[in-house]
Amino acid sequence: MDTIIEYGGISLLSIITIFLFIAAITSKKEKENRATKILFVSFVILLSLNLIYYILPNNLKIIASIIIFSITLLALILIFFPNSKKEKRGYQKPKQQIDERLIMFSRNELKEGTERFDDFYKLYPSLLDGDNKFRKNAGLLSVQSKFYEPISYGMANATFFTVEQFKSSVNFPEKEMKNNIDSEKISQFIKTWAKKLGAHSAGICKLQNYHLYSVHGRGDIYGKTVENKHKFAFAFTVEMDKEHIDAAPQGATVVESAQQYLHAGNIAMQIAAFINSLGHGARAHIDGDYEVVCPLVAKDAGLGEIGRMGILITPQLGPRVRIGVITTDIPLITDDSNFASDVTDFCVQCKKCAVACPAQAISFNNREEIKGVLRWQINQEACFNYWTISGTDCARCISVCPYSHENNWLHNMVRTGLKTSSGFRKTAVLLDDLLYGKKPKPKATPDYIQL
């Protein structure tokens, strides 16, 4: 029996040592230098303990083995034993629509001296002084902005120009002749095709009133009531490259942001056109031309949860995604959308996005009831004001979020623990801060952009 305990102890210690070595190699591939150093040092320490174990007297080997077994068992219980807290109040459906004229992109397009400008600030006079502050800044993608450099800004402008070309064709009205296709088959088909086109995840929900903006806030249809009679919404995500996002808030992040808006728009346009070829009405919702609040649609389509930073947190990529949406009248099968209390509980513990936010626009507090809904509310004015100073869409909150780590075996193991154990979520916050820092520094811009 003693021999079994001895060999079991050294075997377990060896497995943990090998695990740390492989984790260090994985972090090296991810270019996470701090994590690599800490994991490698931990590997060396455990490797030394392996050698020390062999020279211990038998009685001490047994004691050491019992200690190793106990620590490992506690760790496994912490990671895999389901002990999540059940929140009394989970996801609550919004009770009101959002007026698109109130979002910062719409307010940024208002020109002083125009009728539209005067009418808006007659309706919302309290917003004028604050909005005039960001109008004094350089502006998004401006040559006078903080992070301006010609290559990344030129790339982003070129991509946004390309997105703009879709806007005249986003609506596909229904036709008199419709093909009768099985709802389940067509639902599965468009999900599969979206992923073939490059989507990371996809889901379907019924289109709800609160998904839609109440009033248009941009372009020629500014001020008009949003009239979308579609019954279903198809939502999907596309991945934003981690190397680009890790450089946030420098120019590389707006390059990737623009590229994935284009990618999402391209997928949405193709699928909407395909649905229309079957005779059904469809509308692609793309950057700068939305009738829906994309995170709310994606949440209800089962693609993720709304986190502290106010955007969608997906299971495998965290907030490192852009969202595309198609609304349609073709009959579809909807997906389940369960409230992921593990995400909100982790956000309660973590607060890394709030710490790292250069605009201090993200709340450190717990969720609050706002207009009848329990949620976090970012300060959109402070956030956008920083964008107009930096010249980019920042993305610091996305880059530092622990859920944004690479989609690989190491981080997926952690994500498994986050789902099952509230104790592990507390531990994971400490480990992430140790390995990556509570306020990680922005990484270098990808080499190819640095001409």
Side-chain angles (χ1 to χ4, degrees):
M1 183 65 180
D2 289 351
T3 303
I4 294 174
I5 294 174
E6 288 178 24
Y7 279 109
I10 188 59
S11 298
L12 190 55
L13 186 61
S14 298
I15 290 170
I16 296 170
T17 304
I18 293 169
F19 168 83
L20 287 173
F21 178 74
I22 297 173
I25 296 298
T26 301
S27 294
K28 179 67 174 177
K29 290 180 179 178
E30 295 176 358
K31 300 180 181 179
E32 296 288 358
N33 294 331
R34 174 177 169 143
T36 301
K37 290 176 183 177
I38 293 172
L39 288 168
F40 186 75
V41 168
S42 300
F43 158 72
V44 171
I45 291 171
L46 280 195
L47 185 62
S48 301
L49 291 176
N50 274 270
L51 299 175
I52 292 171
Y53 185 94
Y54 279 107
I55 63 175
L56 288 174
N58 287 342
N59 60 329
L60 291 181
K61 283 183 180 178
I62 293 172
I63 294 172
S65 295
I66 292 172
I67 292 172
I68 293 168
F69 277 119
S70 299
I71 292 173
T72 304
L73 180 61
L74 285 172
L76 290 173
I77 290 173
L78 180 65
I79 295 172
F80 296 108
F81 184 74
N83 64 339
S84 292
K85 299 175 182 177
K86 297 293 184 181
E87 294 196 21
K88 294 180 180 178
R89 299 175 67 186
Y91 175 64
Q92 298 162 296
K93 294 182 178 180
K95 296 177 174 60
Q96 301 178 23
Q97 291 178 285
I98 297 172
D99 184 339
E100 192 187 17
R101 292 174 298 181
L102 286 169
I103 69 170
M104 298 310 299
F105 299 109
S106 300
R107 287 150 65 178
N108 185 49
E109 292 178 3
L110 296 172
K111 303 299 180 185
E112 192 169 2
T114 64
E115 183 179 352
R116 186 175 292 184
F117 184 99
D118 294 338
D119 288 345
F120 178 80
Y121 290 109
K122 283 179 183 177
L123 280 174
Y124 304 103
S126 63
L127 300 177
L128 180 59
D129 289 344
D131 288 2
N132 281 338
K133 289 180 181 178
F134 78 69
R135 292 190 178 97
K136 294 177 182 178
N137 298 331
L140 284 169
L141 295 173
S142 167
V143 295
Q144 285 84 33
S145 61
K146 182 176 181 179
F147 295 110
Y148 172 76
E149 57 85 20
I151 304 302
S152 62
Y153 277 45
M155 292 168 69
N157 273 318
T159 307
F160 281 126
F161 170 82
T162 309
V163 175
E164 192 79 17
Q165 308 314 304
F166 285 141
K167 290 185 179 179
S168 62
S169 306
V170 294
N171 280 301
F172 297 85
E174 64 178 329
K175 300 176 181 178
E176 291 185 11
M177 295 293 292
K178 294 182 174 65
N179 289 17
N180 293 320
I181 296 180
D182 182 86
S183 295
E184 189 169 342
K185 288 182 179 179
I186 194 65
S187 298
Q188 187 56 51
F189 171 77
I190 61 173
K191 290 179 189 176
T192 302
W193 190 33
K195 291 176 183 179
K196 291 284 285 184
L197 292 172
H200 181 266
S201 62
I204 298 165
C205 67
K206 288 186 177 180
L207 184 63
Q208 304 291 343
N209 193 51
Y210 62 82
H211 291 152
L212 296 165
Y213 286 114
S214 59
V215 178
H216 288 284
R218 307 177 76 171
D220 295 336
I221 53 176
Y222 179 94
K224 294 184 178 180
T225 301
V226 174
E227 295 181 357
N228 187 316
K229 305 301 181 183
H230 292 149
K231 294 181 179 179
F232 297 95
F234 173 71
F236 60 90
T237 63
V238 291
E239 179 178 2
M240 289 198 288
D241 177 69
K242 191 172 187 300
E243 184 180 15
H244 287 75
I245 297 302
D246 280 348
Q250 300 169 85
T253 186
V254 74
V255 168
E256 182 63 12
S257 183
Q259 185 60 48
Q260 297 315 319
Y261 277 129
L262 175 59
H263 191 188
N266 182 35
I267 295 171
M269 289 293 291
Q270 289 185 70
I271 293 177
F274 166 74
I275 291 172
N276 190 240
S277 74
L278 301 177
H280 295 271
R283 189 193 197 279
H285 301 264
I286 66 172
D287 178 53
D289 196 356
Y290 298 108
E291 289 185 344
V292 296
V293 184
C294 288
L296 296 180
V297 177
K299 155 64 186 166
D300 287 352
L303 302 187
E305 190 57 70
I306 308 298
R308 178 180 291 275
M309 64 188 79
I311 58 179
L312 190 76
I313 306 290
T314 63
Q316 294 176 311
L317 300 175
R320 194 164 47 83
V321 296
R322 287 295 180 217
I323 304 168
V325 173
I326 300 118
T327 55
T328 180
D329 60 14
I330 193 171
L332 298 172
I333 303 298
T334 60
D335 294 290
D336 293 331
S337 176
N338 297 318
F339 174 65
S341 60
D342 54 287
V343 174
T344 54
D345 183 49
F346 185 80
C347 284
V348 167
Q349 310 290 336
C350 180
K351 303 179 183 178
K352 186 170 282 191
C353 59
V355 171
C357 178
Q360 297 183 318
I362 301 173
S363 172
F364 284 87
N365 300 324
N366 290 337
R367 293 187 300 163
E368 300 175 358
E369 189 168 294
I370 302 171
K371 296 181 179 179
V373 178
L374 192 64
R375 62 189 178 94
W376 282 289
Q377 174 70 63
I378 73 161
N379 183 334
Q380 66 163 340
E381 286 82 6
C383 178
F384 190 77
N385 187 68
Y386 182 76
W387 288 19
T388 58
I389 294 171
S390 68
T392 73
D393 51 2
C394 185
R396 278 291 285 157
C397 56
I398 297 174
S399 69
V400 304
C401 178
Y403 281 105
S404 286
H405 288 308
E406 295 282 4
N407 181 22
N408 58 31
W409 72 272
L410 178 62
H411 300 300
N412 286 337
M413 185 182 69
V414 174
R415 290 178 181 114
T416 298
L418 296 179
K419 289 179 181 178
T420 58
S421 170
S422 58
F424 181 74
R425 289 194 281 275
K426 294 178 182 177
T427 305
V429 170
L430 298 175
L431 287 174
D432 199 86
D433 290 347
L434 172 66
L435 293 174
Y436 306 100
K438 186 67 177 179
K439 191 176 181 180
K441 293 181 180 179
K443 294 184 180 179
T445 297
D447 291 341
Y448 83 96
I449 295 177
Q450 301 177 28
L451 294 182

